[in-house]
């Protein structure tokens, strides 16, 4: 599996790159790809369903006012927020058996993330915490109380994208932003469900966590570092407008 590592900077370009990868793989122009990066700016990533809600414009304005770049992400789910103290992993793979497998992937990769976090002493569990942001049965939480990793998917004919966002730190920054955005969108949310790895395992640095995630994927799939091609980046730039609110 090819490994693309590192950020490209602009938050809208980051999410459009996942979209471009999905298109490339679904067209048979590439095999499975794992992209791993740390956001360069605080980001508020809305889901496609959020865009249709009456309070979407207010939520976008609120995110900007708080210093978070608003984007519309490729995978499903509700709005998520993260700072530069997060890790984003986009896993894209061909799928000749489309559209099956969605539930199995949620279970499999949710467990992978939980296993990684348990290695750092976190009481990590797979499952939704009532009141969490972007609720999902394959979220990874700590102690059944706070969410640490959000997961989402997008499926197209012949390929899928599985995206995960790990919150390493800055939960105190995320809580008020998410509270306001979810209120604008008139969606249920409890600020107490926002957690971070740093609060659960203070000695677990983001550097070491990233390497542990890569090691888990490498053990399962075998990773080969690859460059980000200019052509793929150009395709992503063409898609940026689709990911701007």
């Amino acid at each position: 599996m090819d490994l693309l590592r590192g950020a490209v900077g602009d938050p809208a370009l980051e999410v459009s790159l996942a979209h471009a990868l999905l298109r490339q793989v679904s067209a048979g122009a590439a095999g499975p790809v794992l992209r791993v990066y740390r956001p360069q700016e605080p980001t508020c990533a809305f889901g496609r369903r959020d865009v249709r809600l009456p309070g979407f414009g207010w939520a976008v304005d609120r995110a900007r006012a708080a210093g978070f770049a608003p984007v519309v992400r490729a995978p499903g789910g509700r709005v998520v927020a993260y700072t530069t103290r997060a890790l984003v992993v986009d896993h894209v793979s061909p799928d000749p058996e489309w559209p099956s497998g969605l539930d199995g992937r949620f279970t499999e990769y949710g467990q992978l993330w939980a296993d990684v976090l348990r290695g750092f002493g976190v009481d990590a569990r797979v499952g939704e915490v009532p009141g969490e942001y972007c609720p999902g049965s394959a979220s990874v939480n700590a102690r059944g109380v706070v969410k640490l990793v959000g997961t989402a998917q997008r499926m197209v004919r012949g390929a899928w994208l599985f995206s995960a966002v790990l919150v390493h730190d800055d939960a105190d920054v995320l809580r008020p932003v998410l509270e306001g955005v979810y209120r604008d969108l008139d969606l249920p949310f409890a600020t107490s469900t926002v957690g971070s790895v740093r609060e659960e395992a203070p000695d677990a640095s983001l550097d070491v966590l990233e390497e542990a995630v890569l090691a888990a994927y490498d053990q399962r799939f075998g990773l080969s570092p690859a460059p980000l091609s200019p052509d793929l980046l150009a395709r992503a730039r063409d898609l940026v407008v689709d990911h701007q609110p």
Side-chain angles (χ1 to χ4, degrees), residues 16 18 37 66-67 74 101 115 120 129 149 162 178 204 206 210 213:
S16 67
Y37 70 94
D115 288 344
F120 292 90
V129 176
V149 182
F162 187 97
L178 285 168
L206 185 51
E210 181 174 343
V213 171

Side-chain angles (χ1 to χ4, degrees), residues 77-194:
R78 292 297 188 182
V79 58
V80 302
Y82 43 87
T83 69
T84 58
R85 304 301 299 166
L87 187 68
V88 181
V89 176
D90 290 326
H91 181 183
V92 185
S93 179
D95 187 5
E97 298 182 359
W98 177 93
S100 65
L102 182 140
D103 291 338
R105 280 189 296 276
F106 271 129
T107 300
E108 178 182 1
Y109 297 121
Q111 194 59 59
L112 181 150
W113 280 91
D115 288 344
V116 168
L117 291 175
R118 289 189 196 109
F120 292 90
V122 178
D123 180 6
R125 312 173 189 181
V126 178
E128 180 180 337
V129 176
E132 70 179 19
Y133 61 92
C134 191
S137 61
S139 297
V140 180
N141 68 72
R143 300 172 284 110
V145 176
V146 292
K147 182 170 183 170
L148 302 181
V149 182
T151 61
Q153 293 191 63
R154 182 177 180 185
M155 300 172 66
V156 298
R157 185 175 297 277
W160 50 260
L161 161 66
F162 187 97
S163 185
V165 178
L166 174 141
V167 175
H168 175 258
D169 204 352
D170 289 343
D172 57 330
V173 176
L174 298 175
R175 290 180 186 117
V177 175
L178 285 168
E179 180 181 30
V181 166
Y182 270 76
R183 184 169 63 249
D184 289 335
L185 297 176
D186 196 23
L187 294 172
F189 170 69
T191 56
S192 61
T193 63
V194 180

Side-chain angles (χ1 to χ4, degrees), residues 196-218:
S196 72
V197 175
R198 191 67 180 271
E199 292 176 338
E200 302 296 321
D203 295 332
S205 72
L206 185 51
D207 288 341
V208 174
L209 269 169
E210 181 174 343
E211 293 304 322
V213 171
L214 290 174
Y217 271 93
D218 187 40

